[in-house]
């Protein structure tokens, strides 16, 4: 039997032990509270998960999510801001940053969706009424709310190079058939619905169809306006996480430096073959490289999770991916508007080289920090409706500390539980 996911917000998280409150069983989609734990290899058990017995959540998954959201922000910082500035430096530093972030494309979203699929196992066994509200409805609601916010803010920064709705027709298209930069939320809603509908269909047929779709789309044989290509290409990784969760968990549990080197070499080799031969246009090549990159990412996340300091930091961020994901784009647009003039003026050559080297990292860190700060502020203002479907938190039971969990406080993109205490 597949193990169940942690109930509550954005995308990926591991199974938890079922909780009891006042002698009764909590609702399937009730928010949960993160309790304290000492084992650096594990994330503490979450009381309140619906369903049967389950192991503690492996911390490597949170670490992987933390790395993935950092790579998402770094990609947007480089492509939508950094490469739009004329740095005027002789070393090809901007080109190096562009090339580096492009090589991470097979890793970032496939790994994110694989983890999301792992934690969908419990959700797809629940009744349709629960899945419709706690997963499909919730992600579509968040997508629609933040699409409107993005549209309004991005209209203030027309020079910022990103997809945006220019009129009502564009907005309707982004709401329905051509998802915006928030496409991950849109994809999760569709993937959960599809996984639930296909639950009794043989896995080989479902996975085979998703693999064919990914291979055809990644080879450019389908029209993929906007971010529709991401929808087509990543379904197979969500389903792989769902169907092969025990294998992925074993991969993480047995991670070692030798495998990291092997998978890293295979990943780099695949990228080199694509660069030299143009094999990206060959059906099936890109999904294979993404699968190798995902194996590398799982192994690396498991090893990083064994570090107390770095592992704690990345796991903490991995449990708060939702606010970073939905806030970072409009925030980056406004920062781009403020930073372009000073960065485009004359300055000392040495200083300009230093800035060209470090600006993507510094700005990525700043954007993530500001996203989490805005998230805390919005929760203090009771704007929980920005991070969860209204009404989902009203049924949450009180925690052992006598505090009702606040919806959206520490949300993961895949529906992982919220923290009830602000991050340190």
């Amino acid at each position: 039997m597949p193990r169940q996911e942690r109930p509550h917000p954005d995308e990926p998280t591991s199974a938890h032990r079922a909780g009891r409150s006042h002698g009764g069983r909590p609702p399937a989609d009730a928010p949960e509270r993160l309790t304290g734990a000492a084992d650096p290899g594990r994330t503490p058990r979450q009381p309140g998960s619906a369903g049967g017995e389950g192991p503690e959540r492996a911390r490597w998954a949170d670490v992987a999510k933390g790395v993935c959201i950092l790579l998402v922000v770094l990609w947007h910082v480089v492509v939508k801001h950094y490469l739009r500035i004329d740095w005027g430096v002789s070393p090809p530093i901007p080109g190096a940053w562009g090339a580096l972030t492009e090589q991470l494309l097979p890793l970032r979203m496939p790994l994110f969706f694989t983890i999301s699929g792992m934690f969908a196992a419990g959700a797809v066994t629940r009744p349709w009424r629960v899945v419709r509200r706690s997963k499909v409805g919730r992600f579509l609601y968040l997508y629609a709310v933040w699409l409107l916010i993005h549209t309004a803010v991005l209209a203030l920064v027309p020079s910022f190079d990103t997809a945006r709705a220019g009129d009502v027709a564009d907005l309707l298209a982004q709401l329905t058939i051509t998802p915006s930069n928030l496409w991950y939320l849109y994809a999760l809603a569709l993937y959960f619905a599809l996984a639930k509908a296909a639950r009794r269909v043989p896995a080989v047929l479902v996975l085979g169809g998703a693999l064919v779709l990914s291979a055809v789309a990644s080879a450019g044989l389908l029209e993929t306006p906007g971010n529709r290509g991401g929808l087509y290409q990543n379904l197979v990784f969500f389903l792989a996480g769902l169907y092969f969760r025990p294998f992925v968990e074993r991969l993480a549990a047995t991670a070692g430096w030798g495998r990291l080197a092997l998978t890293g070499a295979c990943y780099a080799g695949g990228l080199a073959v694509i660069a030299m031969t143009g094999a990206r246009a060959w059906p099936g090549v890109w999904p294979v490289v993404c699968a190798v990159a995902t194996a590398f990412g799982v192994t690396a996340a498991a090893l990083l999770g064994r570090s107390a300091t770095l592992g704690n930091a990345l796991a903490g961020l991995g449990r708060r991916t939702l606010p970073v994901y939905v806030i970072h784009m409009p925030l980056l647009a406004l920062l781009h508007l403020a930073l372009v003039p000073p960065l485009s003026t004359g300055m000392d050559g040495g200083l300009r080289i230093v800035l060209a080297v470090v600006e993507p990292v510094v700005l990525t860190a700043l954007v993530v920090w500001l996203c989490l700060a805005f998230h805390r502020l919005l929760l203090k203002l009771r704007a929980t409706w920005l991070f969860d479907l209204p009404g989902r938190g009203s049924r949450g039971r009180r925690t052992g500390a006598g505090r009702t969990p606040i919806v959206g406080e520490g949300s993961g993109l895949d529906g992982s539980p919220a923290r009830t205490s602000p991050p340190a």
Side-chain angles (χ1 to χ4, degrees), residues 149-160:
I149 294 173
H150 279 214
T151 301
V153 175
L154 292 175
L156 303 175
V157 195
S159 62
F160 187 67

Side-chain angles (χ1 to χ4, degrees), residues 12-326:
T13 308
S14 172
H16 305 3
R17 184 180 303 274
R20 295 292 187 271
S21 179
H22 306 298
R25 181 173 178 170
D29 59 350
E32 303 175 24
R33 180 179 187 274
L34 196 63
T35 57
D39 183 357
R42 289 283 185 181
T43 290
R45 181 179 287 109
Q46 308 278 338
S49 290
E53 300 295 312
E56 291 180 336
R57 165 179 175 155
R59 189 169 71 161
W60 72 265
D62 286 331
V63 170
K65 289 167 56 182
V67 172
C68 286
I69 198 64
L70 285 174
L71 295 181
V72 168
V73 177
L74 176 63
W75 168 252
H76 290 151
V77 164
V78 170
V79 173
K80 299 179 183 298
H81 161 73
Y82 177 79
L83 294 180
R84 308 294 169 181
I85 297 173
D86 182 9
W87 290 96
V89 294
S90 54
I93 299 171
W97 270 113
L100 172 63
T101 53
E102 189 172 351
Q103 305 317 304
L104 297 172
L105 288 176
L107 170 66
R108 193 182 65 239
M109 298 315 293
L111 177 58
F112 230 148
F113 277 110
T114 298
I115 297 173
S116 298
M118 287 177 58
F119 303 123
V124 298
T125 64
R126 298 171 185 167
W128 263 112
R129 60 181 176 78
V130 176
V131 177
R132 277 196 304 266
R133 176 172 175 80
S134 66
K135 299 301 179 185
V136 180
R138 177 174 179 273
F139 290 123
L140 287 178
Y141 165 79
L142 290 173
Y143 175 74
V145 167
W146 282 97
L147 176 60
L148 294 176
I149 294 173
H150 279 214
T151 301
V153 175
L154 292 175
L156 303 175
V157 195
S159 62
F160 187 67
D161 185 21
T162 193
R164 72 194 73 208
D167 52 37
V168 174
D170 288 345
L171 183 60
L172 289 176
Q174 289 188 342
L175 281 169
T176 53
I177 60 174
T178 307
S180 71
N181 292 312
L182 295 161
W183 67 275
Y184 182 80
L185 298 173
Y186 187 90
L188 283 178
L190 295 184
Y191 292 176
F192 270 104
L194 178 60
K196 175 63 177 175
R199 183 172 169 239
R200 301 191 184 281
V201 178
V204 64
L205 296 180
V206 181
L207 268 174
L211 178 58
V212 170
L213 178 63
S214 180
V216 171
S218 60
L221 301 179
L222 286 178
E223 290 188 17
T224 54
N227 287 289
R228 201 184 300 172
L231 292 180
Y232 296 158
Q233 294 178 40
N234 288 289
L235 173 60
V236 66
F237 296 102
F238 180 87
L239 294 174
L242 174 65
Y243 292 126
F244 299 126
R245 174 172 179 165
F247 172 79
V248 178
E249 290 177 330
R250 284 196 300 272
L251 190 68
T254 59
W257 294 104
R259 185 191 298 151
L260 182 70
L262 176 62
T263 54
C266 292
Y267 178 19
L271 292 173
V273 169
I274 288 176
M276 291 186 295
T277 65
R280 172 77 187 262
W282 301 353
V285 171
W286 187 254
V288 170
V289 174
C290 290
V292 173
T294 299
F296 169 78
V298 170
T299 304
L303 293 174
L304 286 171
R306 297 171 189 172
S307 165
T309 303
L310 185 58
N312 285 340
L314 290 172
L317 177 60
R319 290 188 293 271
R320 293 186 292 273
T321 48
L322 177 61
V324 177
Y325 183 75
V326 297

